[in-house]
Amino acid sequence: MNIYNGPSAEDIVAIKANFALNDEQRAIIDHVDRVAREILHPLQEKMDAEEWWPEDLFKKMGELGLLGITAPVELGGSGQDEFTQALVSEILSKWNPAVGLSHGAHDNLCLNNLLRNGSQDQIDNYVPGLCNGTLVGALGLTEPGAGSDALGSMATTAVRDGDDYVLNGTKIYITNGPIADIVLVYAKTDKSKGAKGISAFIVETATLGFKVAQKLDKMGFRGSPTGELVFEDCRVPASNMIGLENTGVSVVMSGLDLERAMVASMCVGMSERALELALEYSQLREQFGKPISQFQMMQSKLAEIYVDVESARAMSYRALAACAGLPKGAGGRGEIHKLTAAACLYAAEAFNRSVTAACHIHGGSGYMQDTEINRLFRANKLLEIGAGTSEVRKIIIAEELLRG
């Protein structure tokens, strides 16, 4: 029988050490907060109303030092760890959720995966552009018939033909897809091996045979470009394969744990903003001759939101601390797999509770689509679906607990 004993004393010491930011990290966080509040926050309303992404925003983010957080300084990055990168994502998501989502797809799903798994030539070729924003990155995994079973049900194929691989298939719900310059794409190179017959490729979107079939209109995170990508006899140089043939699963799994920890961090930032908006509105809105913040029912809601925010933050930071410095090839199993799934599950559900309560505090104004709290409310559902649904996260936790 397996007994759960929780983190060891050594684990707790390491967690506490990782939560303490050094002076350089604090300077980065202060800079990102100021830039996000002053430059990105005012873009929210237009981005949401029009599903609009400013054409040069990635280049602007590159100039402002918001990209390439984990990339080496010599390649144009900040040379920081994944913990710092997640804090950046948290702040961006707080002030502009659409930018936070696109930043995560670019800086984590594409750039981090490339740094962890790419060859030196691939890194040298693409990372500088991803850091300065002249290249926009995306990840192509999900397909119309392959969501939670993304690997087993994958239908996109890649067939070797001389010095190239020829890709055919469709990817859907791809964040940054309509504006990406490179997409890290997964395709079946050996159908007989099922999920173990998948390979990863860097696909330049200027390649003949690649096209954006449609830009998708979303409920939340509007402005962050999401699309359906089609590959029709799309020729990709064999040198653009990441790792060896049929080893794509290890590339996927190496990034999944960090992705879930990053999603948890996004939830924290957005929950914190929901609390700020609820607190501000409750002190301005008067009923029965006094601010509604003076009513105990409102105070109860505010207190509950605060508890959810700080609980999610603690769990998110613990998962991020475990992800920082994760060796190549690690992840996708064991304690880290369980922990990141738990952090993602809890933070997403905490955000759902927080933003729902905050929306209630706003009353009728919270139901109006052009309000910030409404934008947060519409965004929350994706975070219980993306990076594995809440149900999948529970399965992972239970499987790892029972495995011992």
Side-chain angles (χ1 to χ4, degrees):
M1 179 180 293
N2 296 315
I3 304 297
Y4 175 66
N5 294 312
S8 66
E10 291 80 5
D11 287 337
I12 292 172
V13 170
I15 290 164
K16 287 182 177 178
N18 277 287
F19 284 7
L21 302 183
N22 59 40
D23 291 342
E24 185 179 10
Q25 288 173 315
R26 289 186 184 281
I28 291 172
I29 298 311
D30 289 344
H31 167 72
V32 173
D33 185 69
R34 179 183 60 80
V35 167
R37 187 174 62 253
E38 295 177 1
I39 298 176
L40 301 179
H41 184 249
L43 300 174
Q44 261 200 45
E45 188 171 358
K46 180 177 171 65
M47 290 176 72
D48 182 78
E50 302 177 15
E51 265 283 10
W52 168 70
W53 179 269
E55 184 177 352
D56 294 326
L57 187 53
F58 265 104
K59 289 180 182 178
K60 184 69 172 177
M61 287 195 288
E63 294 169 2
L64 292 168
L66 303 183
L67 305 179
I69 304 301
T70 58
V73 174
E74 58 269 23
L75 292 178
S78 299
Q80 297 295 313
D81 64 11
E82 294 85 354
F83 189 88
T84 307
Q85 183 184 43
L87 294 180
V88 171
S89 181
E90 176 185 317
I91 294 166
L92 294 177
S93 300
K94 173 182 177 178
W95 292 112
N96 191 317
V99 172
L101 184 66
S102 280
H103 179 272
H106 173 97
D107 226 52
N108 179 35
L109 298 185
C110 183
L111 192 150
N112 269 354
N113 268 326
L114 185 55
L115 283 172
R116 285 177 63 86
N117 301 286
S119 68
Q120 194 58 54
D121 283 346
Q122 291 168 344
I123 291 171
D124 291 342
N125 191 29
Y126 294 109
V127 167
L130 291 170
C131 289
N132 64 30
T134 56
L135 294 179
V136 177
L139 181 139
L141 176 63
T142 302
E143 299 183 0
S148 294
D149 185 20
L151 302 179
S153 298
M154 187 177 294
T156 298
T157 60
V159 178
R160 184 72 184 251
D161 184 20
D163 293 333
D164 298 326
Y165 280 86
V166 180
L167 273 64
N168 282 282
T170 302
K171 302 291 182 180
I172 200 163
Y173 311 135
I174 307 304
T175 302
N176 293 345
I179 61 170
D181 298 291
I182 65 169
V183 184
L184 200 163
V185 178
Y186 296 94
K188 286 275 181 73
T189 40
D190 189 339
K191 291 183 180 180
S192 68
K193 294 183 177 180
K196 293 183 179 180
I198 291 170
S199 300
F201 299 89
I202 301 167
V203 178
E204 298 182 11
T205 58
T207 304
L208 189 67
F210 171 91
K211 70 176 181 181
V212 178
Q214 60 175 323
K215 181 173 180 280
L216 300 169
D217 192 15
K218 306 184 299 298
M219 177 173 72
F221 288 102
R222 292 173 58 79
S224 173
T226 305
E228 179 183 10
L229 311 181
V230 174
F231 305 85
E232 295 177 339
D233 294 330
C234 181
R235 283 189 168 270
V236 177
S239 59
N240 276 26
M241 176 181 283
I242 296 179
L244 301 175
E245 189 173 78
N246 299 328
T247 62
V249 169
S250 66
V251 180
V252 174
M253 299 310 290
S254 72
L256 259 180
D257 290 317
L258 180 58
E259 180 185 359
R260 291 192 175 113
M262 294 280 281
V263 167
S265 193
M266 290 177 63
C267 292
V268 172
M270 296 168 72
S271 298
E272 186 173 65
R273 184 59 181 159
L275 175 57
E276 290 178 356
L277 292 169
L279 190 60
E280 178 183 26
Y281 186 84
S282 71
Q283 294 174 88
L284 293 174
R285 173 68 166 167
E286 291 190 359
Q287 289 290 278
F288 306 103
K290 59 182 178 181
I292 62 173
S293 61
Q294 299 302 306
F295 294 102
Q296 287 186 337
M297 189 68 77
M298 293 295 102
Q299 293 175 1
S300 175
K301 287 185 181 295
L302 290 169
E304 288 169 354
I305 296 172
Y306 172 78
V307 170
D308 266 333
V309 171
E310 293 305 323
S311 299
R313 190 192 308 279
M315 199 162 189
S316 168
Y317 286 10
R318 185 187 167 200
L320 288 167
C323 284
L326 196 66
K328 184 175 180 178
R333 59 188 181 280
E335 182 66 22
I336 186 70
H337 203 41
K338 176 176 59 180
L339 181 59
T340 56
C344 192
L345 171 68
Y346 183 82
E349 293 187 347
F351 176 41
N352 192 331
R353 290 191 298 269
S354 298
V355 76
T356 299
C359 202
H360 279 221
I361 289 172
H362 279 75
S365 68
Y367 198 66
M368 299 300 104
Q369 190 152 319
D370 62 349
T371 61
E372 187 173 356
I373 194 63
N374 187 276
R375 290 195 285 274
L376 287 170
F377 183 81
R378 285 184 279 111
N380 95 84
K381 184 49 60 180
L382 175 62
L383 300 172
E384 294 182 304
I385 296 172
T389 63
S390 293
E391 292 76 14
V392 168
R393 297 166 198 172
K394 290 176 183 178
I395 291 170
I396 290 169
I397 296 165
E399 285 179 343
E400 293 298 339
L401 283 171
L402 294 169
R403 187 175 290 122

